[in-house]
């Protein structure tokens, strides 16, 4: 009983802590190939992940896109999205992890599962389920902190040229 209460408190603290940290990030970076995929954007999981992250309010890029300068210059102003497969014989299971620039896991989604026999349908269904059950993303709203505001450089000063 005590272990269950401690686990519940830990989970609650983890959710609250992750929400505060997650709101400091404006950008999301998704790899063009997750570790379990054999080719880039296999089963369109990467573009589907990008669409979901944009739906929840992040400015999202794939690592194969042409990235803007402010996105490339600062690694700690974005979350890194990773999808982890934990498949069994008859079940496709996917979990989404959001990491910071130091590779610390900020939050992991509940596992999305599918029992469909066709890989394309199964992976798509499991990823959608994982994103739909990702409660932290539903409350996400970018709020720049002093840390993220410190990353923004001083405005360019235009010198007036007199003739």
């Amino acid at each position: 009983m005590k272990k269950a209460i401690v686990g519940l408190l830990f989970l609650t603290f983890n959710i609250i802590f992750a929400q505060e940290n997650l709101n400091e990030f404006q950008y999301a970076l998704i790899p063009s190939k997750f570790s379990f995929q054999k080719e880039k954007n296999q089963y369109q999981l990467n573009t589907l992940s990008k669409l979901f992250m944009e739906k929840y309010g992040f400015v999202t890029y794939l690592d194969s896109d042409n990235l803007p300068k402010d996105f490339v210059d600062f690694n700690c102003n974005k979350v890194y999205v990773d999808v982890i497969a934990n498949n069994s014989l008859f079940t496709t299971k996917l979990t989404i992890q959001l990491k910071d620039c130091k590779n610390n896991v900020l939050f992991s989604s509940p596992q999305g599962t599918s029992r469909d026999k066709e890989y394309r349908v199964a992976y798509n269904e499991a990823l959608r389920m994982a994103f739909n059950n990702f409660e932290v993303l539903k409350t996400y709203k970018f709020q720049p902190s002093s840390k993220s505001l410190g990353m923004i450089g001083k405005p360019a000063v235009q010198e007036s040229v007199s003739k």
Side-chain angles (χ1 to χ4, degrees):
M1 181 73 176
K2 289 181 183 180
K3 289 182 181 180
I5 292 172
V6 170
L8 183 61
L9 288 173
F10 179 74
L11 181 64
T12 304
F13 176 74
N14 191 19
I15 290 172
I16 292 169
F17 182 70
Q19 283 178 340
E20 290 175 12
N21 282 341
L22 195 58
N23 289 333
E24 295 177 4
F25 298 97
Q26 181 179 12
Y27 299 108
L29 182 65
I30 299 174
S32 57
K33 180 180 168 187
F34 295 120
S35 60
F36 62 91
Q37 292 175 317
K38 294 179 182 168
E39 58 189 50
K40 288 185 177 183
N41 201 20
Q42 189 176 16
Y43 311 123
Q44 283 72 41
L45 294 181
N46 306 72
T47 53
L48 184 61
S49 298
K50 180 180 177 182
L51 291 173
F52 268 106
M53 292 301 287
E54 288 173 346
K55 171 187 169 187
Y56 290 119
F58 284 91
V59 179
T60 308
Y61 297 99
L62 293 171
D63 63 1
S64 60
D65 291 344
N66 288 333
L67 303 173
K69 185 171 175 27
D70 65 328
F71 184 84
V72 174
D73 287 345
F74 303 106
N75 279 335
C76 289
N77 67 347
K78 56 185 149 289
V79 292
Y80 297 87
V81 180
D82 194 15
V83 176
I84 299 165
N86 186 17
N87 300 333
S88 61
L89 185 60
F90 297 113
T91 308
T92 302
K93 301 174 189 174
L94 297 178
T95 303
I96 304 158
Q97 284 189 344
L98 300 179
K99 298 178 182 180
D100 64 4
C101 61
K102 296 176 181 156
N103 212 20
N104 297 324
V105 176
L106 297 174
F107 197 78
S108 292
S109 75
Q111 198 171 55
T113 60
S114 176
R115 302 198 76 158
D116 201 293
K117 294 177 184 174
E118 186 180 336
Y119 285 132
R120 180 177 301 281
V121 174
Y123 277 105
N124 194 301
E125 184 179 335
L127 187 68
R128 286 177 185 274
M129 186 183 295
F131 267 111
N132 286 334
N133 294 331
F134 211 170
E135 294 297 324
V136 169
L137 287 180
K138 293 179 181 177
T139 60
Y140 167 77
K141 181 166 174 56
F142 175 61
Q143 298 167 347
S145 66
S146 59
K147 177 183 93 173
S148 61
L149 288 175
M151 290 184 218
I152 301 172
K154 295 179 181 177
V157 178
Q158 294 181 350
E159 296 180 18
S160 59
V161 178
S162 57
K163 292 182 180 180

